[in-house]
């Protein structure tokens, strides 16, 4: 497995691979890798070569968010990538990605204004900018993102469509702990007590799936029950619990096509997200 820290190195390696006719899968990450990322790497193995980027992207964090404290452990990440059969890790410094005087951003309206975009106004501009840079640098055939960040996945698919990027964006299922808690690098912030409290997110997801299975089509009725369940947990504070069109992120009242039930909930100081997509069928 190779490790590159500069754009030039990645370009040279990718050029060689392409000359040999290899297909390339990219897994963009912010590191502190867990089973969720591992599952993305597994999906990406359908390509001849797999690149994982490990970069805590400063421009997607707001001024009061956790950029400084975001967990990092590159040695552990390297081992996990090695075991997962990754061919190249791209681990640049912020100064390599954002040169002095950097001032060009990919800014999307619409999809980015709902859900997480409401409480994290610059977040998706930062995500779209860094992901398009990674796409330009690694020039993958396919790129892999987790369904846990459902809005991010929809936004990236939309960006690829809008900007005619010749890349297939693949969404991979949420990986949960046995308890139901969705895997996240931010779970490391939780105390034991908070970890138990955090189960309200997955319980709300399962409740939603159960109600939909029984035939409930009214999103307000489902959201009401989900919110009541979360509010019964004293350590939980809701940022949002919403039902939106899974593709356009526009709020919907009735399940007639795939609906994304998504939530962001503070457990103590930690903001966690979870979701499920309910198909009309
Ligand atoms: O999902 C993430 O870890 C990040 O938002 C991403 C896609 C790697 C961009 O920094």
């Amino acid at each position: 497995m190779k490790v590159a820290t500069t754009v030039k190195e990645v370009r040279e390696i990718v050029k060689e691979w392409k000359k040999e006719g290899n297909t390339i899968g990219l897994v963009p990450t912010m590191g502190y890798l867990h089973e969720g990322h591992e599952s993305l790497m597994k999906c990406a193995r359908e390509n001849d070569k797999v690149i994982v980027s490990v970069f805590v992207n400063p421009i997607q964090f707001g001024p009061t968010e956790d950029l400084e404290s975001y967990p990092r452990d590159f040695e552990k990440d390297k081992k996990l990538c090695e075991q997962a059969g990754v061919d190249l890790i791209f681990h640049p410094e912020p100064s390599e990605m954002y040169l002095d005087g950097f001032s060009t951003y990919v800014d999307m309206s619409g999809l980015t204004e709902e859900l997480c975009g409401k409480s994290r106004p610059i977040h998706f501009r930062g995500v779209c900018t860094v992901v398009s840079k990674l796409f330009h640098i690694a020039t993958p055939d396919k790129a892999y993102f987790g369904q846990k960040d459902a809005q991010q996945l929809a936004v990236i698919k939309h960006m690829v469509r809008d900007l005619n990027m010749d890349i297939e964006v693949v969404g991979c299922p949420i990986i949960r702990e046995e308890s139901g808690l969705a895997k996240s690098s931010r779970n490391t912030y939780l105390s034991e007590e908070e970890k138990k409290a955090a189960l309200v997110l997955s319980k709300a997801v399962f409740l939603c799936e159960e109600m939909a299975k029984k035939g409930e089509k009214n999103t307000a009725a489902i959201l009401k029950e989900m919110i009541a369940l979360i509010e019964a947990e004293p350590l939980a504070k809701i940022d949002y619990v919403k039902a939106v069109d899974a593709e356009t992120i526009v709020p919907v009242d009735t399940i007639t096509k795939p609906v994304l039930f998504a939530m962001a909930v503070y457990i103590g100081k930690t903001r966690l997200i979870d979701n499920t997509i309910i198909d009309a069928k």
Side-chain angles (χ1 to χ4, degrees), residues 12-32:
E12 280 167 6
I13 294 166
V14 166
K15 203 168 159 193
E16 279 309 304
W17 285 348
K18 291 211 166 170
K19 232 196 264 168
E20 294 159 4
N22 293 300
T23 57
I24 294 171
L26 173 69
V27 181
T29 83
M30 296 210 297
Y32 214 70

Side-chain angles (χ1 to χ4, degrees), residues 105-130:
Y105 296 88
V106 179
D107 204 355
M108 185 187 297
S109 53
L111 268 82
T112 58
E113 288 160 28
E114 271 294 332
L115 309 182
C116 289
K118 279 218 161 97
S119 45
R120 307 186 71 189
I122 62 150
H123 176 66
F124 288 112
R125 183 178 85 149
V127 169
C128 286
T129 303
V130 80

Side-chain angles (χ1 to χ4, degrees), residues 29-31 54-61 66-67 70-72 92 94:
T29 83
M30 296 210 297
V54 174
F55 178 61
V56 182
N57 175 34
I59 67 165
Q60 70 186 68
F61 289 79
D66 56 343
L67 172 62
Y70 194 84
R72 294 157 168 92

Side-chain angles (χ1 to χ4, degrees), residues 85-101:
V86 168
D87 298 283
L88 169 65
I89 301 183
F90 178 40
H91 182 46
E93 287 294 325
S95 57
E96 175 71 10
M97 290 298 275
Y98 300 111
L99 302 179
D100 270 352

Side-chain angles (χ1 to χ4, degrees), residues 184-227:
S184 163
S185 305
R186 288 190 169 101
N187 290 350
T188 186
Y189 297 148
L190 301 170
S191 68
E192 277 312 308
E193 192 194 4
E194 288 173 335
K195 228 175 165 189
K196 278 190 201 127
L199 296 184
V200 285
L201 283 94
S202 52
K203 282 184 185 158
V205 161
F206 302 147
L207 172 68
C208 166
E209 289 170 351
E210 202 52 43
M211 288 181 76
K213 211 153 116 191
K214 286 187 180 143
E216 183 60 75
K217 295 269 181 233
N218 184 296
T219 61
I222 298 176
L223 291 172
K224 189 169 165 230
E225 297 295 323
M226 292 171 77
I227 290 168

